[in-house]
Amino acid sequence: MSIDHNERLLTPGEVAVMFRVDPKTVTRWASGGRIGSIRTPGGHRRFRESEVRTLLAELTFDVDAAG
Amino acid sequence: MSIDHNERLLTPGEVAVMFRVDPKTVTRWASGGRIGSIRTPGGHRRFRESEVRTLLAELTFDVDAAG
DNA sequence: CATTATTAGGGTAATTCGGGTA
DNA sequence: ATTGTCCGAATTACCCTAATAA
């Protein structure tokens, strides 16, 4: 019984833990279009794991070396 | 709303994986009419794959990235 | 018929939403 | 401008047992 879902989804709380921020902050990122999100029919947000990891990787490359 | 013979039916558990929710939540969606469902003679619910995928796509947000 | 996994149904925590505020 | 927190309301997750599915 394998489903052809090509993407794993994360909850706001899980993303919040990964970024070490409050879930509310993740919600704001979604509202502002900084991160893509999917809504459940009930209105709760889900986030694509691949996108989240990409954002995390980008943070890694940002060494705050602003001039 | 007739059933297409070529349509694949999904179990509550399979739909739950796609939305990253508990199977019980999918049941509530069906009870509340948020998603169409078909009952087996034994009372178990089945969901149309096409409808689920359509719903998933419609609930996909890509708010314009405000600067 | 026996076995194992999933689902139904109900009830109760936990999470999330949305707005407003610091 | 971004984040954290408080609030009430809604949605979702986890607990159980019995029934259905395969």
Side-chain angles (χ1 to χ4, degrees), chain A residues 5-65:
Chain A
H5 64 85
N6 40 8
E7 189 62 60
R8 273 197 300 174
L9 299 176
L10 301 174
T11 65
E14 291 170 336
V15 177
V17 169
M18 296 171 73
F19 280 94
R20 284 235 175 229
V21 294
D22 192 89
K24 183 84 170 188
T25 297
V26 179
T27 289
R28 288 193 237 263
W29 293 345
S31 297
R34 297 177 180 280
I35 182 175
S37 65
I38 292 173
R39 297 276 199 155
T40 67
H44 284 203
R45 296 183 180 84
R46 297 283 112 103
F47 303 90
R48 301 180 186 282
E49 184 183 34
S50 62
E51 185 178 359
V52 172
R53 294 202 179 284
T54 296
L55 290 176
L56 281 173
E58 290 176 357
L59 288 184
T60 299
F61 289 121
D62 181 3
V63 203
D64 191 18

Side-chain angles (χ1 to χ4, degrees), chain B residues 8 13-14 16 18-20 24 27-28 32-33 36-37 46 49-50 54-55 60 62 66-67:
Chain B
R8 182 185 179 194
E14 290 170 333
M18 296 172 71
F19 280 93
R20 184 57 171 87
K24 213 48 163 286
T27 289
R28 292 200 191 88
S37 64
R46 297 284 112 100
E49 182 180 27
S50 62
T54 298
L55 188 59
T60 299
D62 244 345

